[in-house]
């Protein structure tokens, strides 16, 4: 019997540096080390290449475990992820009515509160229910930008809870189970005090603008109102 | 007052009819409305680059049809979204425009209640009505849709109303439910 196949679909436009990709790949690493075959596709990378998009859909339809990893956009999934769900729903309605793979999702947002991702996970669960997937639970993360950097091999530092949770989730999913509630809770724990993240983020935007202003040779007004 | 109607369902029934009725309802109240059928508009995906916050504040670097919507979004006091409901959320066409709406926000964090959000660049506190269409009753999708609109209203600093219409019910009167929103009594 061949090994069960996990397919990761990354729904971030930020390419290899994206937190969603790093988190998804870390989960895949845990699945691979437990004997699953794994495959990764980028939803945004395949947007302008029809043949790549077809390969992505074919991979998604062949998965025993389908994993979506994406950033929260406007309290919801990024639009290209919705389009991918629509394609999968349409294909499954036509071709694969009896095969019931598992589906999980990993959502992260730049706001410090993990619970702001809840609606996006609800949407993914509803998609699973309506389209013949078994919902295997989901993982959500606030302060997600902090995960957009190379990750240590073992859980430590700021990412210790995130990395432990991803490993626990991989163990549960590779064993055919669903992500335990306590694993989701661990994943969502704040990586730093909220006040520190708040200050750091506001400082970071100003720094970024200063750098960009220097390059442009003029000071940038971050509060500009070009359409007033 | 200015209104903006974003139709994510196109010219097909019932979407165009709902948009027409919304326009008529606004016209009676002498509220000028800008209308966009998003299904025919080429709006590229947001690149997540934040150039609209830190390089060209308030402006997206991508040159496409979204450039004609953003000036109206910046000034809108009343916003109407019309969309098929997909898995409890918005359909692709409405969402492709919403993803590109972040130039009307400021990058900084502010607290709203116990949560962190972004301030509005233009200081507007709009009224938002989201009208979602389902082929048939689906309690869970309707619950998620209502919660999504509520979450969006927090992010947009807006008073909001979500309306779900089932196929075949679109001829019923729903305009009356918009009145309290306009009067500022709905949240």
């Amino acid at each position: 019997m061949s090994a069960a196949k996990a397919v990761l679909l990354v729904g971030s436009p930020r390419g290899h540096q994206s937190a969603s990709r790093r988190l998804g790949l870390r989960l895949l690493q845990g699945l691979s080390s437990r004997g699953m075959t794994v495959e990764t596709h980028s939803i945004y990378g395949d947007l302008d290449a029809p043949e790549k998009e077809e390969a992505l859909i074919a991979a998604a339809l062949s998965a025993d475990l389908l994993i979506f990893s994406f950033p929260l956009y406007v309290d919801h999934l990024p639009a290209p992820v919705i389009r991918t769900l629509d394609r999968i729903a349409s294909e499954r309605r036509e071709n694969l009515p009896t095969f019931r793979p598992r589906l999980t999702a990993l959502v992260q947002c730049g706001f410090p509160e993990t619970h702001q991702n809840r609606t996006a996970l609800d949407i993914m669960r509803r998609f699973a229910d309506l389209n013949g997937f078994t919902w295997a639970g989901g993982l959500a993360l606030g302060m997600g930008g902090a995960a957009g950097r190379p990750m240590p091999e073992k859980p430590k530092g700021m990412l210790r809870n995130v990395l432990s949770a991803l490993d626990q989730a991989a163990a549960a999913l590779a064993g055919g189970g669903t992500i335990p509630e306590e694993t989701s809770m661990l994943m969502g724990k704040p990586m730093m005090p909220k006040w520190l993240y708040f200050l750091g983020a506001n400082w970071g935007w100003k720094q970024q603008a200063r750098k960009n202003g220097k390059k442009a040779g003029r000071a940038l007004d971050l509060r500009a109102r070009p359409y007033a | 007052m200015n209104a903006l109607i974003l139709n994510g369902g196109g010219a097909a029934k019932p979407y165009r009819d709902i948009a027409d009725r919304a326009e008529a309802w606004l016209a009676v109240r002498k509220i000028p409305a800008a209308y966009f059928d998003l299904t025919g508009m080429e709006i590229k995906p947001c690149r997540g680059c934040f150039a609209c916050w830190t390089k060209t504040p308030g402006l997206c670097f991508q040159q496409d049809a979204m450039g004609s919507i953003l000036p109206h979004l910046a000034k809108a006091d009343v916003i109407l979204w019309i969309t098929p409901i997909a898995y409890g959320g918005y359909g692709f066409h409405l969402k492709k425009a919403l993803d590109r709406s972040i130039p009307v926000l400021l990058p900084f964090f502010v607290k709203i209640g116990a949560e962190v959000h972004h301030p509005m660049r233009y200081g507007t506190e709009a009224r938002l009505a989201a009208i979602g269409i389902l082929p048939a009753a689906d309690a869970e999708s309707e619950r998620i849709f209502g919660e999504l609109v509520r979450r969006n209203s927090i992010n947009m600093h807006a008073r909001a109303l979500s309306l779900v219409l089932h196929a075949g019910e679109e001829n019923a009167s729903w305009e009356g439910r918009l009145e309290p929103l306009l009067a500022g009594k709905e949240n």
Side-chain angles (χ1 to χ4, degrees):
Chain A
M1 194 177 131
S2 62
K5 179 176 171 185
V7 173
L8 167 67
L9 303 186
V10 180
S12 165
R14 294 173 70 90
H16 287 269
Q17 300 308 314
S18 88
S20 296
R21 184 179 179 85
R22 289 185 193 280
L23 293 165
L25 287 178
R26 184 62 173 232
L27 181 63
L28 271 200
Q29 191 184 319
L31 295 172
S32 171
S33 70
R34 291 172 173 88
M36 292 188 81
T37 59
V38 297
E39 191 174 325
T40 304
H41 291 263
S42 164
I43 290 172
Y44 279 74
D46 296 351
L47 279 178
D48 300 322
E51 70 286 353
K52 279 192 180 175
E53 191 181 354
E54 290 313 308
L56 180 151
I57 297 297
L61 294 172
S62 70
D64 299 292
L65 173 65
L66 183 56
I67 304 161
F68 283 84
S69 184
F70 56 85
L72 189 74
Y73 275 15
V74 200
D75 300 299
H76 197 320
L77 289 49
V81 178
I82 300 173
R83 199 180 71 165
T84 300
L85 294 185
D86 291 345
R87 279 288 316 273
I88 293 170
S90 160
E91 295 284 341
R92 280 188 62 77
R93 264 196 299 274
E94 285 176 18
N95 299 323
L96 298 163
T98 56
F99 178 43
R100 195 173 177 88
R102 291 181 300 146
L103 186 141
T104 184
L106 216 164
V107 192
Q108 54 86 19
C109 70
F111 295 121
E113 300 90 7
T114 292
H115 74 255
Q116 295 208 37
N117 296 296
R118 197 176 297 147
T119 311
L121 279 184
D122 282 349
I123 290 166
M124 291 303 299
R125 182 180 41 74
R126 193 71 192 127
F127 168 81
D129 292 346
L130 291 171
N131 291 287
F133 289 88
T134 297
W135 177 241
L139 293 171
L141 179 67
M143 306 184 182
R149 61 184 71 183
M151 294 176 173
E153 199 47 44
K154 294 204 169 150
K156 64 175 183 182
M158 202 166 58
L159 291 174
R160 63 190 181 281
N161 290 330
V162 171
L163 298 179
S164 295
L166 288 170
D167 193 54
Q168 289 177 18
L173 292 168
T178 60
I179 298 172
E181 184 57 30
E182 54 270 26
T183 299
S184 300
M185 299 292 286
L186 182 65
M187 180 82 174
K189 277 190 174 177
M191 284 187 258
M192 64 183 84
K194 197 162 152 178
W195 65 265
L196 182 61
Y197 184 78
F198 190 103
L199 282 181
N202 280 347
W203 179 81
W205 293 122
K206 286 178 192 160
Q207 279 298 103
Q208 192 61 48
R210 249 180 236 129
K211 242 189 241 174
N212 291 335
K214 241 183 194 174
K215 272 189 211 161
R218 63 193 166 85
L220 297 177
D221 175 10
L222 290 191
R223 295 178 188 274
R225 294 180 167 191
Y227 299 126
Chain B
M1 260 195 180
N2 295 294
L4 170 65
I5 302 173
L6 297 180
N7 175 2
K13 271 186 174 290
Y15 301 99
R16 181 66 231 195
D17 290 349
I18 291 169
D20 286 345
R21 283 169 58 178
E23 274 187 299
W25 183 83
L26 289 162
V28 167
R29 284 149 191 83
K30 302 197 179 341
I31 301 172
Y35 170 78
F36 294 93
D37 175 348
L38 300 169
T39 61
M41 296 176 76
E42 199 204 324
I43 297 174
K44 294 174 192 150
C46 174
R47 302 309 302 179
C49 64
F50 300 116
C52 60
W53 285 355
T54 66
K55 266 190 186 170
T56 52
L59 296 169
C60 179
F61 83 96
Q62 299 200 81
Q63 303 290 312
D64 61 13
M66 194 62 200
S68 59
I69 297 176
L70 281 170
H72 295 284
L73 182 59
K75 290 175 188 154
D77 306 287
V78 180
I79 300 170
L80 271 96
W81 295 340
I82 304 165
T83 178
I85 295 179
Y87 332 114
Y90 309 134
F92 167 73
H93 289 292
L94 175 62
K95 191 61 183 17
K96 72 186 180 188
L98 301 188
D99 285 0
R100 292 279 304 283
S101 67
I102 68 163
V104 303
L105 299 175
L106 289 170
F108 310 112
F109 278 165
V110 291
K111 274 192 178 171
I112 300 180
E115 292 181 354
V116 170
H117 296 277
H118 299 289
M120 300 301 289
R121 182 175 296 276
Y122 296 90
T124 44
E125 292 185 0
R127 282 95 158 165
L128 165 68
I131 304 176
I133 315 299
L134 275 172
D138 172 351
E140 180 58 3
S141 292
E142 292 174 37
R143 182 197 68 76
I144 296 169
F145 185 78
E147 180 59 14
L148 176 60
V149 175
R150 190 188 73 80
R151 297 259 7 132
N152 284 165
S153 75
I154 301 171
N155 270 320
M156 294 170 65
H157 306 242
R159 287 193 290 273
L161 170 76
S162 64
L163 277 178
V164 176
L165 304 176
H166 306 136
E169 288 179 4
E170 57 272 11
N171 291 331
S173 175
W174 44 264
E175 291 92 328
R177 294 186 54 191
L178 302 178
E179 293 290 356
L181 184 72
L182 208 57
K185 291 174 187 164
E186 195 88 24
N187 194 9

